[in-house]
Amino acid sequence: MRDIASKLNEFRAGITAIDTDYVRPKLAASHLVVDGGRAAFVDTGTTHSVPNLLAALELKGIDRAAVDWVLATHVHLDHAGGAGALIRELPNARCAVHPRGARHLVEPSKLIAGSIAVYGEARYRELYGEIVPIDASRIFEPEDGAAITLGKRRLELIHTPGHALHHYCVVDRGHELIFTGDTFGLSYRDFDVDGREFIIPTTTPVHFDPEALCRSVDRIMSYAPRSVFLTHYAEVRDLGRLAREMKERVVAYVDLAIRYRDAPDRSAKLRHGMFAMIATWLDAHGFPRDDGLRHRLLDDDVELNCQGLEHWLDRK
Ligand SMILES: [Zn+2]
Protein backbone atom coordinates (compact mmCIF):
# COMPACT_ATOMS: atom_id res chain seq x y z
CA MET A 1 0.00 0.00 0.00
CA ARG A 2 1.30 3.44 -0.91
CA ASP A 3 2.29 5.67 1.96
CA ILE A 4 -0.87 7.72 1.95
CA ALA A 5 -0.81 8.79 5.60
CA SER A 6 2.17 11.07 4.96
CA LYS A 7 0.22 12.83 2.19
CA LEU A 8 -2.70 13.84 4.43
CA ASN A 9 -3.14 16.89 6.65
CA GLU A 10 -6.10 17.08 9.02
CA PHE A 11 -7.90 20.37 9.67
CA ARG A 12 -10.95 21.55 11.61
CA ALA A 13 -14.54 20.88 10.51
CA GLY A 14 -13.93 17.38 9.15
CA ILE A 15 -11.53 18.55 6.45
CA THR A 16 -8.50 16.64 5.20
CA ALA A 17 -6.04 18.01 2.63
CA ILE A 18 -4.76 15.23 0.37
CA ASP A 19 -1.58 15.90 -1.60
CA THR A 20 -2.37 15.28 -5.28
CA ASP A 21 1.33 14.69 -6.11
CA TYR A 22 1.23 17.41 -8.78
CA VAL A 23 4.75 18.58 -9.76
CA ARG A 24 6.14 18.58 -6.19
CA PRO A 25 4.93 17.86 -2.65
CA LYS A 26 2.48 20.38 -1.17
CA LEU A 27 1.89 22.17 -4.45
CA ALA A 28 -1.73 21.06 -4.97
CA ALA A 29 -4.35 19.63 -2.63
CA SER A 30 -7.69 17.92 -2.94
CA HIS A 31 -9.82 18.60 0.14
CA LEU A 32 -11.93 15.78 1.52
CA VAL A 33 -14.90 17.01 3.58
CA VAL A 34 -16.78 14.55 5.81
CA ASP A 35 -20.09 15.27 7.55
CA GLY A 36 -22.60 12.85 9.06
CA GLY A 37 -21.01 9.87 7.32
CA ARG A 38 -21.17 11.50 3.88
CA ALA A 39 -18.20 12.87 1.95
CA ALA A 40 -17.19 15.32 -0.78
CA PHE A 41 -13.97 16.11 -2.57
CA VAL A 42 -13.21 19.75 -3.37
CA ASP A 43 -10.95 19.60 -6.44
CA THR A 44 -9.42 16.32 -7.52
CA GLY A 45 -5.94 16.96 -8.90
CA THR A 46 -5.20 15.12 -12.14
CA THR A 47 -5.99 11.62 -13.32
CA HIS A 48 -2.64 10.61 -11.75
CA SER A 49 -3.95 11.89 -8.37
CA VAL A 50 -7.00 9.60 -8.19
CA PRO A 51 -5.21 6.67 -6.46
CA ASN A 52 -4.25 9.04 -3.61
CA LEU A 53 -7.86 10.16 -3.21
CA LEU A 54 -9.19 6.59 -3.14
CA ALA A 55 -6.46 5.52 -0.71
CA ALA A 56 -7.40 8.41 1.59
CA LEU A 57 -11.02 7.17 1.66
CA GLU A 58 -9.83 3.66 2.47
CA LEU A 59 -7.49 4.83 5.24
CA LYS A 60 -10.28 6.86 6.82
CA GLY A 61 -12.79 4.00 6.53
CA ILE A 62 -15.14 5.88 4.20
CA ASP A 63 -17.02 3.79 1.67
CA ARG A 64 -16.77 4.96 -1.94
CA ALA A 65 -20.59 4.88 -2.02
CA ALA A 66 -20.67 7.51 0.77
CA VAL A 67 -19.16 10.19 -1.47
CA ASP A 68 -21.99 12.45 -2.65
CA TRP A 69 -20.04 15.21 -4.38
CA VAL A 70 -17.01 15.94 -6.49
CA LEU A 71 -16.78 19.74 -6.43
CA ALA A 72 -14.60 21.04 -9.26
CA THR A 73 -13.95 24.71 -8.42
CA HIS A 74 -12.96 25.28 -12.07
CA VAL A 75 -11.92 23.14 -15.00
CA HIS A 76 -8.15 23.82 -15.06
CA LEU A 77 -6.59 20.37 -15.13
CA ASP A 78 -4.70 20.58 -11.83
CA HIS A 79 -8.16 21.01 -10.23
CA ALA A 80 -10.54 18.93 -12.36
CA GLY A 81 -8.36 16.79 -14.64
CA GLY A 82 -9.00 13.78 -12.41
CA ALA A 83 -12.75 14.35 -11.94
CA GLY A 84 -13.79 11.88 -14.64
CA ALA A 85 -11.43 9.12 -13.49
CA LEU A 86 -12.53 9.70 -9.88
CA ILE A 87 -16.28 9.75 -10.46
CA ARG A 88 -16.02 6.40 -12.29
CA GLU A 89 -15.02 4.92 -8.90
CA LEU A 90 -17.78 6.65 -6.87
CA PRO A 91 -21.20 5.10 -7.60
CA ASN A 92 -23.31 7.85 -5.96
CA ALA A 93 -21.30 11.00 -6.57
CA ARG A 94 -22.27 13.91 -8.77
CA CYS A 95 -19.79 16.41 -10.15
CA ALA A 96 -20.62 20.09 -9.61
CA VAL A 97 -19.03 22.27 -12.28
CA HIS A 98 -19.70 25.87 -13.30
CA PRO A 99 -22.20 26.19 -16.19
CA ARG A 100 -19.44 27.77 -18.31
CA GLY A 101 -17.10 24.83 -17.72
CA ALA A 102 -19.43 21.83 -17.69
CA ARG A 103 -19.22 21.02 -21.39
CA HIS A 104 -15.43 20.72 -21.10
CA LEU A 105 -15.70 17.87 -18.59
CA VAL A 106 -18.34 16.07 -20.68
CA GLU A 107 -16.32 16.50 -23.87
CA PRO A 108 -12.74 17.32 -22.86
CA SER A 109 -11.09 17.67 -26.31
CA LYS A 110 -10.98 21.50 -26.21
CA LEU A 111 -9.64 21.46 -22.65
CA ILE A 112 -6.91 19.05 -23.71
CA ALA A 113 -5.97 21.16 -26.75
CA GLY A 114 -5.88 24.32 -24.60
CA SER A 115 -3.62 22.66 -22.05
CA ILE A 116 -1.26 21.33 -24.73
CA ALA A 117 -1.02 24.92 -26.02
CA VAL A 118 0.10 26.07 -22.55
CA TYR A 119 2.39 23.17 -21.58
CA GLY A 120 3.48 21.50 -24.83
CA GLU A 121 2.56 17.91 -25.73
CA ALA A 122 5.25 15.99 -23.78
CA ARG A 123 4.83 17.94 -20.53
CA TYR A 124 1.05 17.72 -20.89
CA ARG A 125 1.16 13.90 -21.04
CA GLU A 126 3.50 13.69 -18.07
CA LEU A 127 1.41 16.06 -15.94
CA TYR A 128 -2.13 14.97 -16.81
CA GLY A 129 -2.26 11.57 -18.50
CA GLU A 130 -5.62 10.59 -19.94
CA ILE A 131 -8.69 12.78 -19.29
CA VAL A 132 -11.83 10.66 -18.72
CA PRO A 133 -15.09 12.30 -19.88
CA ILE A 134 -17.99 12.57 -17.39
CA ASP A 135 -21.47 11.42 -18.38
CA ALA A 136 -23.75 14.47 -18.59
CA SER A 137 -26.30 12.77 -16.29
CA ARG A 138 -23.79 13.00 -13.40
CA ILE A 139 -23.07 16.72 -13.81
CA PHE A 140 -24.67 19.44 -11.68
CA GLU A 141 -24.30 23.00 -12.99
CA PRO A 142 -24.76 25.40 -10.05
CA GLU A 143 -26.20 28.84 -10.65
CA ASP A 144 -24.58 31.58 -8.57
CA GLY A 145 -25.41 30.93 -4.89
CA ALA A 146 -26.79 27.41 -5.43
CA ALA A 147 -26.97 25.42 -2.17
CA ILE A 148 -26.12 21.73 -1.85
CA THR A 149 -26.26 19.36 1.11
CA LEU A 150 -23.46 17.23 2.50
CA GLY A 151 -24.59 15.21 5.54
CA LYS A 152 -25.93 17.89 7.89
CA ARG A 153 -23.95 20.61 6.22
CA ARG A 154 -25.18 23.23 3.78
CA LEU A 155 -22.69 24.44 1.19
CA GLU A 156 -23.19 27.39 -1.16
CA LEU A 157 -21.50 27.55 -4.53
CA ILE A 158 -20.79 31.17 -5.49
CA HIS A 159 -19.50 32.29 -8.88
CA THR A 160 -16.11 34.00 -8.57
CA PRO A 161 -14.72 35.09 -11.95
CA GLY A 162 -11.28 36.71 -12.32
CA HIS A 163 -8.91 33.73 -12.34
CA ALA A 164 -11.25 31.85 -14.68
CA LEU A 165 -14.76 32.58 -15.96
CA HIS A 166 -15.77 29.04 -14.98
CA HIS A 167 -14.74 29.37 -11.32
CA TYR A 168 -16.89 28.98 -8.22
CA CYS A 169 -16.01 28.91 -4.52
CA VAL A 170 -17.59 26.68 -1.87
CA VAL A 171 -18.96 28.60 1.12
CA ASP A 172 -19.57 26.77 4.41
CA ARG A 173 -21.23 29.44 6.58
CA GLY A 174 -21.78 27.02 9.46
CA HIS A 175 -18.03 26.52 9.89
CA GLU A 176 -17.05 30.03 8.74
CA LEU A 177 -14.83 28.76 5.96
CA ILE A 178 -14.59 28.90 2.17
CA PHE A 179 -12.85 26.67 -0.37
CA THR A 180 -11.41 29.19 -2.81
CA GLY A 181 -9.80 27.10 -5.57
CA ASP A 182 -7.47 29.61 -7.26
CA THR A 183 -9.55 32.77 -6.66
CA PHE A 184 -7.74 33.70 -3.41
CA GLY A 185 -4.33 33.03 -5.02
CA LEU A 186 -1.49 30.68 -4.07
CA SER A 187 0.03 30.27 -0.63
CA TYR A 188 2.52 27.43 -0.59
CA ARG A 189 3.42 26.25 2.88
CA ASP A 190 7.09 26.29 1.73
CA PHE A 191 6.88 30.08 1.98
CA ASP A 192 5.64 30.20 5.60
CA VAL A 193 8.04 32.11 7.85
CA ASP A 194 7.43 31.60 11.59
CA GLY A 195 3.83 30.64 10.78
CA ARG A 196 3.26 33.77 8.67
CA GLU A 197 1.63 33.02 5.32
CA PHE A 198 2.78 34.41 1.94
CA ILE A 199 0.37 34.91 -0.95
CA ILE A 200 0.53 35.68 -4.69
CA PRO A 201 -2.23 35.88 -7.31
CA THR A 202 -2.40 33.30 -10.10
CA THR A 203 -3.19 34.69 -13.57
CA THR A 204 -3.21 31.53 -15.69
CA PRO A 205 -4.43 31.90 -19.33
CA VAL A 206 -7.02 32.47 -20.77
CA HIS A 207 -9.55 34.38 -18.63
CA PHE A 208 -7.52 36.59 -16.27
CA ASP A 209 -9.61 39.68 -15.43
CA PRO A 210 -8.03 41.88 -12.74
CA GLU A 211 -11.14 43.89 -11.80
CA ALA A 212 -13.28 40.75 -11.55
CA LEU A 213 -10.59 38.98 -9.50
CA CYS A 214 -10.41 41.82 -6.94
CA ARG A 215 -14.22 41.91 -6.70
CA SER A 216 -14.23 38.13 -6.12
CA VAL A 217 -11.67 38.50 -3.30
CA ASP A 218 -13.94 41.14 -1.74
CA ARG A 219 -16.93 38.83 -2.12
CA ILE A 220 -15.06 36.02 -0.33
CA MET A 221 -14.19 38.43 2.49
CA SER A 222 -17.82 39.65 2.69
CA TYR A 223 -18.70 36.31 4.34
CA ALA A 224 -16.16 37.08 7.11
CA PRO A 225 -14.65 33.57 7.05
CA ARG A 226 -12.34 32.48 9.89
CA SER A 227 -10.12 30.73 7.35
CA VAL A 228 -10.11 29.77 3.68
CA PHE A 229 -8.77 26.63 2.00
CA LEU A 230 -6.68 27.08 -1.15
CA THR A 231 -6.01 24.31 -3.61
CA HIS A 232 -2.38 25.57 -3.52
CA TYR A 233 -2.07 24.85 -0.52
CA ALA A 234 -4.68 24.16 2.20
CA GLU A 235 -5.76 26.43 5.06
CA VAL A 236 -4.74 30.08 5.51
CA ARG A 237 -5.95 32.24 8.39
CA ASP A 238 -4.47 35.74 8.31
CA LEU A 239 -7.21 36.80 5.94
CA GLY A 240 -7.35 40.58 6.40
CA ARG A 241 -3.69 40.98 5.45
CA LEU A 242 -3.77 38.30 2.75
CA ALA A 243 -6.83 39.78 1.01
CA ARG A 244 -5.20 43.23 0.98
CA GLU A 245 -1.93 41.81 -0.38
CA MET A 246 -3.76 39.74 -3.00
CA LYS A 247 -5.44 42.84 -4.42
CA GLU A 248 -2.26 44.96 -4.24
CA ARG A 249 -0.36 42.23 -6.04
CA VAL A 250 -2.98 41.85 -8.79
CA VAL A 251 -2.51 45.58 -9.46
CA ALA A 252 1.30 45.17 -9.35
CA TYR A 253 1.15 42.34 -11.95
CA VAL A 254 -1.05 44.48 -14.20
CA ASP A 255 1.24 47.54 -13.88
CA LEU A 256 4.19 45.32 -14.81
CA ALA A 257 2.37 43.95 -17.86
CA ILE A 258 1.40 47.44 -19.03
CA ARG A 259 4.97 48.72 -18.54
CA TYR A 260 6.30 46.09 -20.98
CA ARG A 261 3.29 45.97 -23.31
CA ASP A 262 5.16 47.32 -26.35
CA ALA A 263 8.69 46.13 -25.50
CA PRO A 264 10.21 44.07 -28.38
CA ASP A 265 11.38 41.43 -25.87
CA ARG A 266 8.16 41.64 -23.84
CA SER A 267 8.04 37.97 -22.79
CA ALA A 268 11.55 37.92 -21.34
CA LYS A 269 11.18 41.34 -19.64
CA LEU A 270 7.88 40.32 -18.08
CA ARG A 271 9.25 37.03 -16.70
CA HIS A 272 12.37 38.67 -15.32
CA GLY A 273 10.32 41.54 -13.88
CA MET A 274 7.78 39.28 -12.20
CA PHE A 275 10.41 37.11 -10.54
CA ALA A 276 12.24 40.24 -9.30
CA MET A 277 9.01 41.70 -7.96
CA ILE A 278 7.99 38.55 -6.08
CA ALA A 279 11.57 38.40 -4.74
CA THR A 280 11.12 41.84 -3.14
CA TRP A 281 7.89 40.61 -1.50
CA LEU A 282 9.72 37.51 -0.23
CA ASP A 283 12.53 39.72 1.15
CA ALA A 284 9.97 41.79 3.07
CA HIS A 285 8.35 38.55 4.27
CA GLY A 286 11.71 37.41 5.72
CA PHE A 287 12.10 34.41 3.41
CA PRO A 288 15.70 33.16 2.92
CA ARG A 289 17.61 34.96 0.13
CA ASP A 290 18.32 31.71 -1.70
CA ASP A 291 17.84 32.32 -5.43
CA GLY A 292 18.03 28.62 -6.33
CA LEU A 293 15.27 27.75 -3.87
CA ARG A 294 13.15 30.70 -4.97
CA HIS A 295 13.45 29.75 -8.63
CA ARG A 296 12.59 26.14 -7.84
CA LEU A 297 9.43 27.21 -5.99
CA LEU A 298 8.34 30.02 -8.36
CA ASP A 299 9.46 29.45 -11.95
CA ASP A 300 6.43 27.41 -13.07
CA ASP A 301 4.02 29.98 -11.63
CA VAL A 302 5.95 32.94 -13.05
CA GLU A 303 5.75 31.30 -16.49
CA LEU A 304 2.00 30.60 -16.22
CA ASN A 305 1.24 34.03 -14.76
CA CYS A 306 3.18 35.78 -17.53
CA GLN A 307 1.44 33.73 -20.22
CA GLY A 308 -1.89 34.79 -18.69
CA LEU A 309 -0.86 38.45 -18.50
CA GLU A 310 0.31 38.46 -22.13
CA HIS A 311 -2.96 36.86 -23.18
CA TRP A 312 -4.78 39.61 -21.25
CA LEU A 313 -2.67 42.35 -22.92
CA ASP A 314 -3.43 40.92 -26.36
CA ARG A 315 -7.18 40.81 -25.61
CA LYS A 316 -7.32 44.42 -24.39
ZN1 LIG B 1 -6.64 27.56 -12.13
Side-chain angles (χ1 to χ4, degrees):
M1 179 149 173
R2 60 175 52 211
D3 177 24
I4 190 64
S6 68
K7 298 180 192 292
L8 306 186
N9 286 95
E10 303 293 339
F11 294 94
R12 67 188 180 94
I15 296 165
T16 304
I18 305 164
D19 198 315
T20 59
D21 284 338
Y22 182 70
V23 181
R24 67 167 187 265
K26 299 218 169 180
L27 186 137
S30 167
H31 288 97
L32 175 65
V33 189
V34 181
D35 193 298
R38 309 305 297 177
F41 288 101
V42 183
D43 287 336
T44 66
T46 73
T47 297
H48 300 316
S49 312
V50 170
N52 280 5
L53 275 46
L54 297 174
L57 287 179
E58 196 181 340
L59 183 75
K60 296 176 76 69
I62 299 163
D63 197 282
R64 292 182 188 188
V67 181
D68 289 332
W69 291 105
V70 171
L71 303 174
T73 60
H74 61 304
V75 303
H76 290 161
L77 292 178
D78 51 329
H79 297 256
L86 178 63
I87 214 148
R88 226 170 27 180
E89 308 294 334
L90 306 174
N92 296 319
R94 278 196 294 163
C95 180
V97 54
H98 192 290
R100 297 192 69 132
R103 69 179 190 281
H104 296 302
L105 295 190
V106 174
E107 211 293 275
S109 59
K110 203 175 156 200
L111 196 60
I112 294 168
S115 300
I116 289 174
V118 171
Y119 293 100
E121 175 96 35
R123 182 89 172 129
Y124 166 81
R125 297 278 163 219
E126 178 193 339
L127 286 174
Y128 304 112
E130 188 204 349
I131 309 296
V132 177
I134 301 178
D135 193 278
S137 67
R138 302 191 69 182
I139 297 254
F140 170 65
E141 299 181 36
E143 292 306 317
D144 186 23
I148 61 169
T149 302
L150 177 72
K152 297 183 196 64
R153 192 176 306 211
R154 177 187 153 96
L155 301 172
E156 288 166 61
L157 311 183
I158 60 166
H159 292 188
T160 55
H163 171 78
L165 279 170
H166 46 76
H167 201 302
Y168 68 79
C169 292
V170 182
V171 179
D172 181 343
R173 290 185 197 245
H175 297 92
E176 300 175 278
L177 63 90
I178 303 181
F179 296 95
T180 57
D182 282 348
T183 301
F184 206 80
L186 314 173
S187 179
Y188 299 130
R189 302 281 60 79
D190 300 89
F191 287 129
D192 287 353
V193 175
D194 300 329
R196 268 173 65 82
E197 300 142 345
F198 180 78
I199 206 150
I200 52 171
T202 169
T203 60
T204 313
V206 292
H207 292 151
F208 171 58
D209 176 340
E211 290 84 15
L213 185 54
C214 290
R215 279 197 302 273
S216 289
V217 169
D218 285 340
R219 188 169 181 200
I220 287 167
M221 293 301 288
S222 76
Y223 291 88
R226 263 204 290 147
S227 63
V228 303
F229 289 79
L230 318 184
T231 301
H232 317 281
Y233 187 94
E235 185 179 43
V236 295
R237 298 187 199 85
D238 193 4
L239 299 185
R241 173 179 64 86
L242 295 175
R244 188 183 72 247
E245 289 178 350
M246 256 297 288
K247 293 190 287 180
E248 287 169 1
R249 290 169 184 185
V250 168
V251 173
Y253 279 11
V254 163
D255 288 348
L256 187 75
I258 290 171
R259 188 180 324 152
Y260 295 129
R261 170 166 36 199
D262 301 317
D265 51 350
R266 180 177 84 177
S267 291
K269 280 227 160 60
L270 196 52
R271 280 152 182 76
H272 182 80
M274 181 174 291
F275 183 86
M277 190 166 72
I278 297 173
T280 65
W281 299 337
L282 283 171
D283 291 345
H285 180 62
F287 189 77
R289 291 173 190 254
D290 175 341
D291 258 5
L293 175 63
R294 291 177 175 198
H295 276 291
R296 193 171 63 74
L297 294 173
L298 284 171
D299 279 358
D300 287 352
D301 289 310
V302 166
E303 175 59 32
L304 265 185
N305 286 342
C306 290
Q307 283 188 25
L309 287 171
E310 290 200 84
H311 196 277
W312 171 76
L313 283 173
D314 293 338
R315 277 196 329 268
K316 263 164 73 78

